Amino acid sequence: MKIPCRFLSFPQFQKILQSLHLQSRCGGGNVKQVRYKTSSPAAGATHTDAIELFGKFYSRDDYTNVTPKILSKVGKSLQNQRNHPLWLIKERIKDHFYTHYLSRHRNPLFSVYDNLSPVVSTEQNFDSLLVPPDHASRRKGDNFYLNRTNMLRAHTSAHQRDLIRAGLNAFLVFGDVYRRDEIDKSHYPVFHQMEGVRLFTNHELFANVQNGEELNIFEKGSRTTYKQESHTLEAVKLLEFDLKQTLNKVMAHLFGKGLEIRWVDCYFPFTHPSFEMEIKFQEEWLEVLGCGIMEQHLVNSAGAQDRIGYAFGLGLERLAMILYGIPDIRLFWSEDERFFKQFQVTHIDQEVTFQPLSKYPPLINDISFWIPREGYEENDFFDLVRNIGGDLVEKVSLIDQFTHPKTEKISHCYRITYRHMERTLTQEEVCNIHRAIEKGTVEKLGVEGRF
């Protein structure tokens, strides 16, 4: 069966795949690929800033909020750096799917994409996934925008529709994603995800079911807690079983047999019903992935009206931190050889237990300021701290909030923990950084300092 011909001609199929790969990143994070550019007035252009990524220019506007610190991470491709812990997780997952899911011709059923460009349109990141225009996940405070129409992807799901439209029925996407977030040992504004999708025709889904030829995947029914209006309950239950079994096996492959797993119902805009998987690790229940039955409108919009499917997504850092005992998410960006040597394995399934590097002492400073009555976003402050302090900042926490009884002005007090991963920081170094943060909050966030 020539899958691409299901939706479009072969030349069209090639064109779509080429468009996906033309945006692929060159490994190694070449700094020349990421820079700000100002057009020359001598050429008759106005003095407007633009951001260049991978040879394309993106005009800045009122939505632009990506910082130089974040741009410096674009193109690093940690998931493709051999013997990096994220690479190990990726390769182990790939090996599992390549080994256990084969077509009738004994070829791997799942296609794998691990180098697609992280620059996507807002339409790809949100609209293609049925995220409502007023949904909170679109906020500038949560995302890194190049401008109003382009952004650094917030999830690998942004490629779902394009890959389905290219004629693919089963695929995995690995890549870096970008979200503005709090600062602590388990959160970082750049992290890595794996996205999986599998689609079925009526025949494929019911092929091994007794009297399956009498069953259908579609109906004109009602939407309930258990299914969408266009899906039959039989199809959804069979899909749900296959989805959960597939993911149970992935986790057993990574963590070993005997792993305790439980499923929790949840909500995502692009799947229904939706589920989260939790695993019991060291006597704690930890959420490790989300998944569900793909919204049929999303599948239809990609040209696969005759199919039904499921999607799942997981965070590679979270799995690596649990599996290898890595205590701080900043370590994934470390250039310390003592870190990398621990993951130089002879086989991807070789057991690795991370041995902590020497624990250098933290230095702690507080910062207090009156916030403006309008326009203050806490994630703007976190971005400013990251941009100035970089990975020397281990944690930022709000320790006090005070409202003046007369003026009703609100004061925030944050505690900033500084710690270098590879050496002891001096008080002078930290004081210089902290003073720069104080100055930046006043100049860029419009706060009134209480330093």
Side-chain angles (χ1 to χ4, degrees):
M1 180 175 65
K2 293 182 179 179
I3 297 172
C5 298
R6 178 164 48 86
F7 306 132
L8 53 161
S9 67
F10 187 71
Q12 288 174 309
F13 172 73
Q14 285 184 312
K15 188 175 181 181
I16 290 177
L17 285 186
Q18 283 175 348
S19 71
L20 287 168
H21 287 291
L22 282 174
Q23 297 179 47
S24 294
R25 297 168 293 163
C26 300
N30 187 345
V31 177
K32 291 182 180 178
Q33 291 177 309
V34 181
R35 69 175 182 264
Y36 290 94
K37 188 173 182 70
T38 303
S39 59
S40 171
T46 56
H47 222 54
T48 55
D49 286 337
I51 300 170
E52 183 187 5
L53 284 169
F54 312 116
K56 291 188 177 182
F57 290 91
Y58 300 90
S59 297
R60 296 166 64 86
D61 60 24
D62 61 324
Y63 250 64
T64 306
N65 65 355
V66 65
T67 65
K69 183 65 68 175
I70 295 301
L71 289 174
S72 72
K73 305 292 186 184
V74 178
K76 295 291 187 183
S77 300
L78 299 186
Q79 79 279 3
N80 293 331
Q81 293 183 19
R82 190 172 183 83
N83 292 320
H84 191 283
L86 299 184
W87 175 85
L88 279 178
I89 294 283
K90 182 196 75 172
E91 291 301 312
R92 293 188 66 192
I93 293 172
K94 274 174 55 180
D95 180 68
H96 173 76
F97 277 94
Y98 278 173
T99 303
H100 293 88
Y101 298 91
L102 302 174
S103 70
R104 60 183 179 181
H105 301 298
R106 310 306 294 169
N107 295 319
L109 186 65
F110 283 81
S111 302
V112 174
Y113 294 85
D114 61 7
N115 208 25
L116 296 178
S117 172
V119 180
V120 298
S121 67
T122 52
E123 195 275 338
Q124 287 174 298
N125 199 80
F126 299 120
D127 300 286
S128 74
L129 296 167
L130 311 180
V131 178
D134 58 349
H135 196 271
S137 64
R138 293 177 179 256
R139 293 173 61 248
K140 282 178 64 177
D142 294 330
N143 301 285
F144 288 105
Y145 284 90
L146 301 177
N147 52 38
R148 278 186 172 269
T149 56
N150 296 281
M151 64 187 296
L152 298 176
R153 64 186 169 210
H155 41 215
T156 46
S157 308
H159 303 288
Q160 263 188 26
R161 186 190 58 188
D162 292 335
L163 291 171
I164 295 172
R165 189 173 280 172
L168 301 178
N169 294 316
F171 56 83
L172 306 176
V173 178
F174 296 85
D176 43 339
V177 298
Y178 300 77
R179 294 184 197 167
R180 303 177 75 192
D181 212 336
E182 58 193 290
I183 300 176
D184 59 31
K185 291 184 178 182
S186 61
H187 291 87
Y188 202 80
V190 189
F191 56 104
H192 298 74
Q193 282 187 341
M194 185 207 77
E195 177 85 9
V197 166
R198 188 172 182 189
L199 302 179
F200 297 82
T201 61
N202 203 96
H203 172 73
E204 289 166 344
L205 186 62
F206 294 120
N208 297 318
V209 177
Q210 187 174 3
N211 300 320
E213 65 278 359
E214 300 174 9
L215 301 174
N216 291 300
I217 57 178
F218 297 122
E219 69 174 9
K220 291 183 179 179
S222 301
R223 191 180 188 91
T224 70
T225 305
Y226 307 105
K227 72 177 197 71
Q228 298 169 40
E229 53 270 32
S230 59
H231 296 164
T232 63
L233 188 59
E234 297 87 0
V236 171
K237 288 301 178 185
L238 198 54
L239 266 184
E240 181 183 330
F241 177 79
D242 190 88
L243 168 64
K244 291 180 177 179
Q245 284 294 100
T246 297
L247 296 175
N248 285 346
K249 289 174 182 176
V250 171
M251 290 301 128
H253 175 69
L254 293 175
F255 290 92
K257 294 179 180 178
L259 182 71
E260 286 190 65
I261 293 173
R262 70 183 184 189
W263 290 95
V264 180
D265 293 341
C266 66
Y267 167 79
F268 300 116
F270 32 85
T271 56
H272 180 75
S274 304
F275 318 97
E276 286 180 342
M277 174 195 277
E278 296 181 352
I279 64 171
K280 196 169 189 180
F281 188 77
Q282 295 180 348
E283 302 306 313
E284 253 190 282
W285 285 104
L286 304 171
E287 184 264 311
V288 291
L289 63 82
C291 61
I293 310 304
M294 296 176 70
E295 285 285 356
Q296 193 60 37
H297 180 54
L298 188 160
V299 179
N300 292 348
S301 71
Q305 295 91 335
D306 62 332
R307 301 188 178 239
I308 187 173
Y310 56 67
F312 52 90
L314 53 85
L316 299 186
E317 277 90 346
R318 184 157 181 78
L319 285 181
M321 291 176 82
I322 297 170
L323 189 60
Y324 302 132
I326 297 173
D328 193 315
I329 196 168
R330 293 176 300 162
L331 281 165
F332 293 107
W333 297 90
S334 172
E335 296 180 359
D336 191 329
E337 282 201 11
R338 294 174 300 165
F339 177 72
F340 285 107
K341 281 182 178 178
Q342 298 189 45
F343 300 95
Q344 291 178 358
V345 296
T346 55
H347 189 276
I348 58 173
D349 288 321
Q350 182 178 324
E351 189 172 328
V352 177
T353 301
F354 175 69
Q355 299 300 316
L357 310 180
S358 299
K359 192 74 170 177
Y360 296 100
L363 290 174
I364 297 172
N365 281 4
D366 294 346
I367 180 172
S368 299
F369 47 80
W370 299 105
I371 66 173
R373 294 188 183 276
E374 292 182 358
Y376 176 76
E377 286 272 1
E378 191 168 58
N379 278 343
D380 289 338
F381 174 64
F382 293 154
D383 275 355
L384 184 142
V385 172
R386 281 197 192 277
N387 203 39
I388 295 173
D391 287 348
L392 298 184
V393 179
E394 178 178 273
K395 184 177 182 180
V396 178
S397 52
L398 179 65
I399 60 171
D400 185 54
Q401 183 171 311
F402 167 71
T403 301
H404 195 283
K406 293 184 178 179
T407 65
E408 296 186 346
K409 289 168 64 177
I410 298 174
S411 170
H412 281 186
C413 180
Y414 293 91
R415 177 154 293 165
I416 304 179
T417 303
Y418 301 89
R419 192 199 308 260
H420 202 292
M421 304 299 294
E422 298 159 17
R423 63 177 176 83
T424 300
L425 286 171
T426 67
Q427 189 67 54
E428 183 181 1
E429 282 179 289
V430 170
C431 283
N432 289 336
I433 294 169
H434 200 74
R435 279 195 291 267
I437 290 172
E438 290 175 339
K439 183 179 178 183
T441 56
V442 173
E443 293 179 352
K444 298 186 178 181
L445 303 184
V447 305
E448 182 184 340
R450 301 182 66 193
F451 336 123

